[in-house]
Amino acid sequence: LPEPDSLVLARVTRITSRQAVCSILLVLPDPSSSSSSGVIRQQDVRLTETDKVKVAECFRVGDLVRARVISLGDSRSYFLSTASNELGVVFATASVPGTLRPLDWQTMVDPATGRKERRKVAKPTQ
């Protein structure tokens, strides 16, 4: 099971105006699988300007997100955070079929069509 300060890979399953609900797939760096759920609250998306964050512009259902467990949360799910440069969306599919690639820290682009979509993008790890 994930513990506080663990890195996880999660799939976004539902979006509300205040949070993104996720299914935790892996606990990193040891790829042990998990079947827990997590929540990324609006205030845990970015380090700055947390009151201006629009969760629906940062994540979409189906996105794979690298996040940090910040607490055990409530009885149903862990609280997760993407408030760091290396945390955020690592894989996304476009609203029109296609795979998105990171363009900058808040934009992903479909290389085939050039269509851009807003996300909270994780800085690629080397």
Side-chain angles (χ1 to χ4, degrees):
L1 293 173
E3 295 184 12
D5 211 35
S6 299
L7 286 178
V8 296
L9 187 64
R11 181 182 314 274
V12 177
T13 57
R14 191 174 72 225
I15 300 287
T16 69
S17 62
R18 308 275 304 160
Q19 64 187 16
V21 179
C22 304
S23 174
I24 298 173
L25 305 174
L26 296 172
V27 180
L28 303 171
D30 177 27
S32 55
S33 67
S34 175
S35 60
S36 308
S37 65
V39 174
I40 304 170
R41 300 173 296 180
Q42 179 183 13
Q43 65 266 29
D44 298 323
V45 173
R46 294 197 195 306
L47 285 174
T48 60
E49 300 180 334
T50 58
D51 56 330
K52 295 181 182 178
V53 169
K54 294 181 180 166
V55 176
E57 289 184 359
C58 297
F59 309 105
R60 299 262 170 90
V61 172
D63 287 356
L64 289 181
V65 178
R66 185 183 315 125
R68 185 173 309 282
V69 176
I70 53 176
S71 74
L72 300 178
D74 57 24
S75 61
R76 293 173 300 204
S77 57
Y78 292 89
F79 287 147
L80 306 176
S81 173
T82 58
S84 181
N85 288 341
E86 72 275 2
L87 303 177
V89 177
V90 293
F91 179 82
T93 55
S95 51
V96 206
T99 302
L100 300 175
R101 303 265 186 253
L103 182 63
D104 59 34
W105 64 276
Q106 64 181 2
T107 311
M108 294 187 95
V109 64
D110 183 340
T113 64
R115 179 183 162 100
K116 297 177 183 176
E117 293 189 15
R118 291 180 57 92
R119 297 289 204 283
K120 195 300 185 180
V121 181
K123 179 180 177 183
T125 56
Q126 303 301 344

